[in-house]
Amino acid sequence: MTLTPISSPILSFEFFPPNTPEGLVKLRATRQVLAALEPVFFSVTFGAGGSTREKTLGVVAEIAAEGSEVAPHLSCIGATRDGLAELLDDYRQRGIQRLVALRGDLPSGMVDRGDFRYASDLIAFIREHSDRTFHIEAAAYPETHPQAQSPQHDLDNFLRKCDAGVDSAITQYFFNAAAYFDFVDRVRARGCQVPIVPGIMPITNFTQLARFSDACGAEIPRWIRLRLAGYGDDVASLRAFGHDVVTRLVAELIAAGVPGIHFYTLNQPGPSTAIWKAATGR
């Protein structure tokens, strides 16, 4: 393991743009709760093909106006060079300083991928157009992207993102710390030193988690899957067990010296807050 322990890893949270006015009100309350933990930034997802572009812009503008750092997601899917240049200029004018650059998944029935095939192409264009205006985050997959030909091929793809000018990376969520440590070691062995921040998914709903994990390739270890399935309709016990599992994971990662922790909140403040406080004692 090639991590250098640090006293205070950075904290960040991901949101998705709500579809309803009620969801927006709820997200504002969620941000107030999470802002008390002093995160370095909030990220906001971006629908494939720009399907949530206006909603993303609205949430990003609100967070920026509140004085918090915000990192909008950008996707290759359906993006054009002209459209992306316009969006980058808009973000720059709004004072946005951080982006999350992703390939994205082509929605069913969508044919036009746009002008960018890979995240490395997207990152290279951002650097070409905006130079060092933005801190660029990229995605990393400790357990291998589900569409990758092999773990080695996936590692090569990640290194292309590093070469294109990425500043740091956020991983897909995982429940096996050894997968993260192995991935970091393999990246470092290839000479890439960008910080790789673990992505963390709280466990609150087994059906939802299983669906997400099957789609993104994140492994739920068999013992965890069996325990979660065994709780059935006992939501309280399931969430208590999930809290303990993820808290132990976060505590292990922090003790090992990870550069940060990034929570996939699903716009829910409680689980991430409880895990962070329990794992850090803050």
Side-chain angles (χ1 to χ4, degrees):
M1 189 192 330
T2 54
L3 296 174
T4 302
I6 57 178
S7 58
S8 183
I10 69 168
L11 175 64
S12 55
F13 298 103
E14 178 185 288
F15 304 135
F16 62 84
N19 290 318
T20 66
E22 294 78 13
L24 283 171
V25 172
K26 178 182 175 182
L27 181 55
R28 290 178 190 126
T30 292
R31 290 202 304 271
Q32 287 185 342
V33 173
L34 296 177
L37 300 177
E38 300 182 342
V40 170
F41 68 94
F42 298 115
S43 72
V44 183
T45 63
F46 188 81
S51 62
T52 64
R53 172 171 172 165
E54 295 306 318
K55 296 184 181 72
T56 298
L57 281 170
V59 173
V60 167
E62 263 197 29
I63 295 175
E66 293 167 355
S68 296
E69 183 167 355
V70 58
H73 289 209
L74 295 175
S75 168
C76 292
I77 306 302
T80 64
R81 294 175 67 88
D82 289 345
L84 181 58
E86 179 182 345
L87 186 57
L88 291 171
D89 291 342
D90 186 4
Y91 283 148
R92 178 180 53 78
Q93 291 168 6
R94 294 173 185 269
I96 305 303
Q97 298 180 339
R98 188 183 295 258
L99 304 170
V100 181
L102 308 167
R103 189 198 72 172
D105 296 317
L106 194 68
S108 177
M110 186 175 181
V111 177
D112 183 14
R113 285 185 171 272
D115 291 344
F116 306 98
R117 185 170 183 183
Y118 300 112
S120 55
D121 301 328
L122 183 64
I123 293 163
F125 178 79
I126 295 170
R127 287 291 180 234
E128 174 190 326
H129 180 78
S130 303
D131 196 27
R132 305 297 302 184
T133 298
F134 301 104
H135 178 111
I136 302 176
E137 305 274 0
Y141 296 86
E143 295 175 317
T144 304
H145 191 284
Q147 296 176 0
Q149 296 175 11
S150 68
Q152 184 59 45
H153 183 266
D154 194 47
L155 177 62
D156 291 341
N157 285 337
F158 179 75
L159 293 168
R160 277 190 282 273
K161 290 185 273 192
C162 295
D163 292 340
V166 73
D167 293 292
S168 53
I170 301 169
T171 76
Q172 179 59 270
Y173 69 85
F174 56 88
F175 299 105
N176 182 353
Y180 168 82
F181 296 137
D182 174 71
F183 180 77
V184 173
D185 282 346
R186 290 188 293 126
V187 170
R188 299 292 180 255
R190 294 284 296 273
C192 176
Q193 299 299 320
V194 302
I196 301 173
V197 173
I200 300 297
M201 176 70 81
I203 298 175
T204 60
N205 181 310
F206 176 49
T207 301
Q208 182 186 61
L209 179 68
R211 185 174 70 252
F212 287 168
S213 299
D214 290 344
C216 73
E219 179 185 0
I220 305 175
R222 183 172 181 271
W223 72 275
I224 295 177
R225 187 180 285 267
L226 290 174
R227 287 286 300 277
L228 292 172
Y231 288 116
D233 295 330
D234 186 353
V235 176
S237 294
L238 183 150
R239 290 181 176 177
F241 171 71
H243 169 82
D244 289 344
V245 166
V246 181
T247 295
R248 288 195 297 269
L249 173 63
V250 172
E252 179 181 0
L253 292 167
I254 292 174
V258 297
I261 295 292
H262 182 79
F263 282 99
Y264 298 107
T265 70
L266 302 181
N267 292 7
Q268 302 290 330
S272 299
T273 299
I275 291 165
W276 179 252
K277 288 183 174 180
T280 62
R282 300 176 188 172

